[in-house]
Amino acid sequence: MNKTKTLLHLAILYALAGGYGAQAANTEELPCKTTAECAAEAARIGAGKVKPSAGKPSEADQFAWINKINKASIVMLVEEGIVTPQMGRKIAGGIRHTVDQAGRPGGKRPGDVLQIERIMIDDIGPEASLVHSGRSRQDILATYRLATLRRQVLDYAAAMNATRQRLLDIAARNADTLVPAYTNGVQAMPITYAHYLLAYAASFDRDAQRIRELYARLNRSPMGSAVLANSAWPLNRERLARLLGFDEVRENSLDSSQVSSYDIPIEAVDIAANSAIRVGALIGDIHTQYHQIRPWLLLDEGSTYTSSAMPQKRNPGLLMRVRESASDTVGLAEAVTLRAHNVTTGMTDYKFAFDSLGVFDAATDMFKGMDNVLDALTINAARAREELENEWTTSMELADTLQRAHQVPFRIGHSFASLIVEEARNEGYVPNTFPYADAQKLYTRAADKFGWKDNRLPLDEAAFRASLSPENMVKTRVGIGGPQPAEVQRMLAGARQALQSDDGWLKDTRARLDNADKALDDAFASLLDGKG
């Protein structure tokens, strides 16, 4: 009988030692001597996609954040009387050891919760596991991922704000630069380049508003909700939230780690994709100029590269790189949505897709690339004006002038202007060369068509020419938000004020996170010193 029991025991030990095939593997018990080995062992059993830290330790990686959560947990557990101060100091020492050993040669920085706990247990004994009271991988990793997302969103916001600043600086220098604007891909009306850039600055302003609204929903802590239904321990979730830089707790414990992890990341990446679509449009407008023989908008030659075969070519690689990053952002954001589509609650597919796919890396690269484009942008105002003067984009103003100054119904003025454009294109005229006598005849024809009481053109030649001037058309706009100089200056001032406010919010938000880090460090140090 004893021999049989001995053989049975040996068989069990052999099975455990030979690959953990007889029972589910515990990542805490997987043998690993280095950071890479720990990550490989966790990956081998599908315990999560943990990126092993390389090079200089990062305050943002999974190892660092789990230790930060461990610090907050032990501080709270002692404060709530769940762990005694004496035991709290011992566990705090194990946490400090775990952090310190990672910085020494041969130190380990695993990203798995239990592998980190193993380092503590090896140092102070099994009591280290008391730090895990009332919690789970679920709330720990949900907290880490939200912290990662908020950092990426703030970095993305900072990159976008830098681009907004450049747009406004260029706009200020081009408040009087007349350029053609297009609808349906066709030259439509004259505006100023400042007016054009302010339109995009306004759209990024809306993205900044979306980021601030998102952040209020994003920065709510799941920590302390355990697996999904809380625990039997009276954890102080509000205290954990404050120590970890969160503004509030995510109230519903199921929502906190299982459901909000669907919609919050999707909302975040959708904002990035939204920005990317506008960046792509900006790049497209610049790139279109390279189709022309004489563009009015180019990158300075030192920011392009030559063809290996064609001496005349100057390739705008900066534009292509930005467009690629913008396309990556849109595509990866859609992949985040697809990762969550038709996936049952609680699966891992959707919980960290934004990070593993690198959506915000692409978005931040996109804005940095856009900065390079804007820094290299050269605007040929004379060539842009020539573009306007060679087309009939002011013909609408001719009809407006007749109505505004002489009460000629707009449809008559429109018909008259259309007749002029038709003849001009047939005969090769531009606004400055169209014969005034022909204009008089065409007006009579348009007026007679509608049976108008006076079929003589009420504009003398000077007034006729002035109505076709790009400057005149821009200056005569009177509506809110138009290209007229006064409105451009007003919008520019407003855009600068909005950007200043957004920069201030970003600075204050990061300061609050820094203050939370300091509060956590102080509370943890006090516990270590026996003062807690």
Side-chain angles (χ1 to χ4, degrees), residues 279 283 318-326 366 369-370 373:
V279 168
I283 292 299
L318 290 179
L319 300 179
M320 294 180 279
R321 301 295 84 78
V322 175
R323 189 174 59 244
E324 288 164 2
S325 293
M366 171 188 73
M370 191 72 229
V373 168

Side-chain angles (χ1 to χ4, degrees), residues 78-101:
V78 170
E79 289 176 349
E80 298 301 311
I82 298 170
V83 171
T84 66
Q86 294 79 10
M87 182 58 67
R89 281 194 294 277
K90 184 175 182 179
I91 294 171
I95 296 170
R96 182 176 61 181
H97 163 76
T98 302
V99 174
D100 289 347
Q101 63 82 36

Side-chain angles (χ1 to χ4, degrees), residues 388-410:
L388 287 167
E389 291 178 342
N390 284 336
E391 188 47 88
W392 288 86
T393 51
T394 56
S395 59
M396 177 181 168
E397 176 57 22
L398 177 57
D400 283 347
T401 297
L402 286 167
Q403 179 180 348
R404 189 171 61 246
H406 300 283
Q407 294 74 54
V408 175
F410 181 76

Side-chain angles (χ1 to χ4, degrees), residues 103-133:
R104 295 194 287 266
K108 293 189 289 189
R109 294 179 63 85
D112 180 77
V113 173
L114 295 184
Q115 288 175 339
I116 291 172
E117 187 177 293
R118 179 79 246 178
I119 297 172
M120 294 171 58
I121 289 174
D122 288 345
D123 182 52
I124 66 170
E127 298 94 335
S129 62
L130 293 175
V131 75
H132 207 59
S133 301

Side-chain angles (χ1 to χ4, degrees), residues 276-501:
I277 288 171
R278 257 84 44 61
V279 168
L282 266 168
I283 292 299
D285 285 348
I286 300 170
H287 214 166
T288 298
Q289 292 284 313
Y290 278 82
H291 300 174
Q292 301 187 33
I293 297 174
R294 298 177 59 233
W296 56 266
L297 202 58
L298 284 173
L299 304 181
D300 66 65
E301 192 154 313
S303 298
T304 62
Y305 64 93
T306 61
S307 164
S308 63
M310 294 160 281
Q312 85 286 359
K313 282 194 74 196
R314 301 295 183 268
N315 296 314
L318 290 179
L319 300 179
M320 294 180 279
R321 301 295 84 78
V322 175
R323 189 174 59 244
E324 288 164 2
S325 293
S327 297
D328 286 345
T329 302
V330 173
L332 293 171
E334 184 63 23
V336 171
T337 301
L338 291 174
R339 283 266 287 265
H341 176 63
N342 277 345
V343 176
T344 56
T345 305
M347 305 304 288
T348 58
D349 307 51
Y350 58 90
K351 291 182 177 180
F352 57 96
F354 70 91
D355 189 28
S356 63
L357 292 170
V359 180
F360 287 99
D361 290 339
T364 302
D365 286 346
M366 171 188 73
F367 277 119
K368 289 178 179 178
M370 191 72 229
D371 291 346
N372 292 334
V373 168
L374 293 173
D375 290 344
L377 198 62
T378 60
I379 302 150
N380 188 332
R383 177 67 190 97
R385 182 187 177 87
E386 182 184 339
E387 189 88 355
L388 287 167
E389 291 178 342
N390 284 336
E391 188 47 88
W392 288 86
T393 51
T394 56
S395 59
M396 177 181 168
E397 176 57 22
L398 177 57
D400 283 347
T401 297
L402 286 167
Q403 179 180 348
R404 189 171 61 246
H406 300 283
Q407 294 74 54
V408 175
F410 181 76
R411 197 49 56 200
I412 294 175
H414 186 281
S415 179
F416 166 52
S418 183
L419 289 170
I420 285 179
V421 172
E422 183 179 346
E423 180 176 318
R425 287 178 173 161
N426 287 336
E427 301 298 329
Y429 295 131
V430 295
N432 288 337
T433 62
F434 193 86
Y436 177 67
D438 287 3
Q440 291 175 305
K441 294 174 185 177
L442 292 174
Y443 179 81
T444 298
R445 192 167 136 194
D448 289 346
K449 174 183 175 182
F450 287 92
W452 187 239
K453 56 190 175 183
D454 187 351
N455 64 4
R456 293 174 299 172
L457 179 61
L459 302 175
D460 61 23
E461 184 168 2
F464 172 72
R465 301 289 177 204
S467 70
L468 295 173
S469 161
E471 289 97 340
N472 177 71
M473 186 165 185
V474 167
K475 289 178 181 178
T476 55
R477 303 303 93 184
V478 294
I480 292 174
Q484 62 270 36
E487 274 299 282
V488 165
Q489 293 301 331
R490 183 189 66 80
M491 288 188 290
L492 184 58
R496 282 174 167 159
Q497 186 174 4
L499 177 56
Q500 184 178 17
S501 174

Side-chain angles (χ1 to χ4, degrees), residues 20-325:
Y20 312 96
Q23 63 182 46
N26 181 342
T27 54
E28 185 177 315
E29 297 175 355
L30 296 176
C32 59
K33 296 180 180 179
T34 67
T35 299
E37 283 184 11
C38 290
E41 286 292 343
R44 184 178 62 80
I45 59 169
K49 293 182 179 179
V50 178
K51 300 176 185 175
S53 303
K56 186 178 180 181
S58 168
E59 290 300 318
D61 68 20
Q62 193 160 319
F63 172 82
W65 254 98
I66 291 175
N67 280 292
K68 185 181 287 191
I69 291 170
N70 281 345
K71 289 179 180 180
S73 293
I74 197 58
V75 166
M76 180 275 297
L77 289 170
V78 170
E79 289 176 349
E80 298 301 311
I82 298 170
V83 171
T84 66
Q86 294 79 10
M87 182 58 67
R89 281 194 294 277
K90 184 175 182 179
I91 294 171
I95 296 170
R96 182 176 61 181
H97 163 76
T98 302
V99 174
D100 289 347
Q101 63 82 36
R104 295 194 287 266
K108 293 189 289 189
R109 294 179 63 85
D112 180 77
V113 173
L114 295 184
Q115 288 175 339
I116 291 172
E117 187 177 293
R118 179 79 246 178
I119 297 172
M120 294 171 58
I121 289 174
D122 288 345
D123 182 52
I124 66 170
E127 298 94 335
S129 62
L130 293 175
V131 75
H132 207 59
S133 301
R135 64 182 205 177
S136 163
R137 272 197 187 99
Q138 298 290 330
D139 59 336
I140 293 171
L141 294 182
T143 302
Y144 161 67
R145 287 163 185 159
L146 276 179
T148 299
L149 180 58
R150 77 182 174 196
R151 174 182 57 81
Q152 292 180 359
V153 166
L154 293 177
D155 288 347
Y156 152 71
M160 182 176 70
N161 286 356
T163 298
R164 289 168 68 191
Q165 183 64 63
R166 283 171 169 81
L167 290 174
L168 298 183
D169 290 344
I170 298 172
R173 297 194 296 268
N174 288 276
D176 298 316
T177 302
L178 297 169
V179 299
Y182 301 82
T183 63
N184 300 313
V186 179
Q187 191 177 142
M189 296 176 71
I191 58 171
T192 64
Y193 198 51
H195 187 243
Y196 169 88
L197 293 174
L198 286 170
Y200 282 93
S203 76
F204 293 130
D205 180 8
R206 290 190 291 276
D207 282 342
Q209 294 172 32
R210 294 180 181 107
I211 289 169
R212 291 168 76 158
E213 292 164 2
L214 161 73
Y215 193 84
R217 290 184 283 275
L218 183 161
N219 203 39
R220 297 188 175 203
S221 171
M223 198 60 219
S225 59
V227 179
L228 54 81
N230 289 333
S231 71
W233 298 103
L235 304 185
N236 188 336
R237 292 188 62 201
E238 290 81 3
R239 176 61 166 157
L240 285 172
R242 290 192 300 273
L243 288 171
L244 297 170
F246 291 91
D247 298 323
E248 299 179 46
V249 298
R250 185 90 59 206
E251 184 179 55
N252 185 293
S253 59
L254 174 61
D255 180 34
S256 67
S257 61
Q258 310 301 329
V259 178
S260 62
S261 43
Y262 281 110
D263 65 282
I264 297 296
I266 289 174
E267 181 181 3
V269 299
D270 280 350
I271 298 172
N274 202 344
S275 295
I277 288 171
R278 257 84 44 61
V279 168
L282 266 168
I283 292 299
D285 285 348
I286 300 170
H287 214 166
T288 298
Q289 292 284 313
Y290 278 82
H291 300 174
Q292 301 187 33
I293 297 174
R294 298 177 59 233
W296 56 266
L297 202 58
L298 284 173
L299 304 181
D300 66 65
E301 192 154 313
S303 298
T304 62
Y305 64 93
T306 61
S307 164
S308 63
M310 294 160 281
Q312 85 286 359
K313 282 194 74 196
R314 301 295 183 268
N315 296 314
L318 290 179
L319 300 179
M320 294 180 279
R321 301 295 84 78
V322 175
R323 189 174 59 244
E324 288 164 2
S325 293

